[in-house]
Amino acid sequence: MTTNRSDMTNCGRALAVLATLCAPVVAYSQSPASSTVDPPEPASDLRVQEVRPGLSVITGAGSNVVVWSGADGLVLVDTGLATSSAALVEAVTHVSAAPVKFVIITHGHADHVGGNETFAHKGAVIIGHESLREHGGQDPAVPDGKVETPAVTLASRPVLTTMDALALHLNGDRLDAVHVADAHTAADIVVRLNHADVVALGDIYWNGQYPYIDVESGGSLAGMVAAVEGTLARSNERTVVIPGHGAVSNRVELAEYRDMLVAVGRKVREAVEKGMGIEAILEAKPTAEFDAKFGHPGAIVAPEEFVRSVYRDLASNRPGC
Ligand SMILES: [Zn+2]
């Protein structure tokens, strides 16, 4: 995978490696000997941003982490990289000293579930899609010896699962965790806080960057677009939209991202229908008009890697975008 790295933060470099690791199968971290993931970041590198009263986003842990706090306790959405878990625990205490009661994971990639085990040991209930309990965290598609550390380990698997939707009634609000089919992966969950009017999309949304579509784990461009459309339909100009990666966002930026997904998807589809192969499609640069905004040097996923994942999706026999 070609990834732009010239202006990356430590987090960005780590995620670039993870995005590479994601490529053939879900996400697995490598052993220390073979990994180029940066060492754990000190807590001072994590940043806490309050986006609503009682609702904060922590950045710098590998993925965006949402912290919902109130009289009934803390709820996290995603837990970042395992190497950042100690720093994340400390950062959460800056929001509230209360224990974390629930952790909702938006999907099973290593940069979103790395702190699960830590918070589970502290008493948190891990919530996620039912399929993340399959195979004991081991993907059977990965040859023996290739995987040192599965993303969703036995100890970090969700204990409260859904294949559809569930709600938490806490802190004077209602949180809906809703499965959306075949988007970034096959196990994505979108989290919405109703009264606060906040939605967390996990890796369905990469703000200001091209996304990675994990086709091998059941992701698809059509599912990504459908999930974004569904979110736009339930959002307004006040809605806070939290991406899996990138800055806290809003409905306007999410609509621009949707337009990019649809436009690039249309170009790749037309090229596939003409019988063009991936190399010819890359040469035609179907992302050209969007590269200034989404393919900047600090982006995690390079334009050609995004196009490759769209191609793998649309060139397969599954229904496309
Ligand atoms: Zn992901």
Side-chain angles (χ1 to χ4, degrees):
M1 166 180 167
T2 51
T3 303
N4 298 316
R5 296 187 174 199
S6 60
D7 190 30
M8 284 186 164
T9 62
N10 287 341
C11 163
R13 283 192 293 273
L15 284 167
V17 174
L18 283 163
T20 303
L21 297 172
C22 281
V25 284
V26 195
Y28 291 94
S29 59
Q30 289 182 323
S31 64
S34 57
S35 174
T36 56
V37 175
D38 288 344
E41 300 167 8
S44 59
D45 283 346
L46 271 62
R47 295 167 299 281
V48 181
Q49 176 187 2
E50 187 176 59
V51 298
R52 285 276 194 268
L55 207 291
S56 298
V57 176
I58 297 176
T59 56
S63 66
N64 288 334
V65 175
V66 180
V67 185
W68 178 30
S69 62
D72 299 322
L74 293 183
V75 179
L76 301 188
V77 179
D78 287 339
T79 57
L81 287 163
T83 51
S84 296
S85 58
L88 180 62
V89 167
E90 184 181 330
V92 170
T93 65
H94 292 292
V95 176
S96 170
V100 175
K101 282 190 170 178
F102 298 99
V103 169
I104 304 168
I105 51 177
T106 58
H107 63 294
H109 283 163
D111 51 333
H112 292 256
V113 303
N116 282 14
E117 195 169 337
T118 296
F119 288 102
H121 282 153
K122 292 175 176 289
V125 174
I126 310 295
I127 300 172
H129 190 267
E130 173 80 19
S131 65
L132 298 180
R133 289 193 63 81
E134 295 172 0
H135 317 305
Q138 298 279 357
D139 191 318
V142 182
D144 287 344
K146 292 288 185 185
V147 175
E148 301 291 342
T149 308
V152 182
T153 61
L154 283 171
S156 66
R157 291 185 302 176
V159 297
L160 181 55
T161 62
T162 181
M163 296 182 72
D164 182 20
L166 59 80
L168 292 180
H169 301 269
L170 294 170
N171 300 332
D173 205 339
R174 171 187 170 124
L175 180 152
D176 285 303
V178 180
H179 171 56
V180 290
D182 303 343
H184 173 62
T185 69
D188 294 316
I189 284 179
V190 170
V191 175
R192 175 176 290 276
L193 270 168
N194 287 267
H195 293 151
D197 197 2
V198 174
V199 61
L201 287 167
D203 280 1
I204 292 165
Y205 182 29
W206 301 51
N207 185 18
Q209 305 176 44
Y210 292 119
Y212 184 77
I213 304 172
D214 192 347
V215 176
E216 288 71 20
S217 294
S220 71
L221 181 63
M224 295 271 279
V225 171
V228 171
E229 293 280 15
T231 300
L232 288 170
R234 297 171 61 111
S235 303
N236 57 60
E237 66 281 351
R238 185 178 167 275
T239 305
V240 174
V241 181
I242 302 172
H245 301 281
V248 173
S249 187
N250 54 52
R251 189 178 194 280
V252 171
E253 291 175 340
L254 183 63
E256 291 173 356
Y257 174 82
R258 181 270 318 273
D259 292 345
M260 178 275 293
L261 292 179
V262 170
V264 174
R266 183 181 300 122
K267 287 185 178 180
V268 174
R269 170 177 293 284
E270 288 171 358
V272 168
E273 288 173 352
K274 288 178 187 169
M276 293 170 67
I278 182 58
E279 297 307 324
I281 292 173
L282 288 174
E283 212 164 294
K285 297 190 182 306
T287 64
E289 66 182 295
F290 301 102
D291 284 351
K293 181 173 179 61
F294 296 94
H296 52 83
I300 296 168
V301 177
E304 54 267 35
E305 185 59 24
F306 169 53
V307 171
R308 285 184 189 278
S309 67
V310 172
Y311 173 82
R312 286 197 299 275
D313 175 25
L314 300 185
S316 69
N317 293 322
R318 300 182 310 173
C321 175

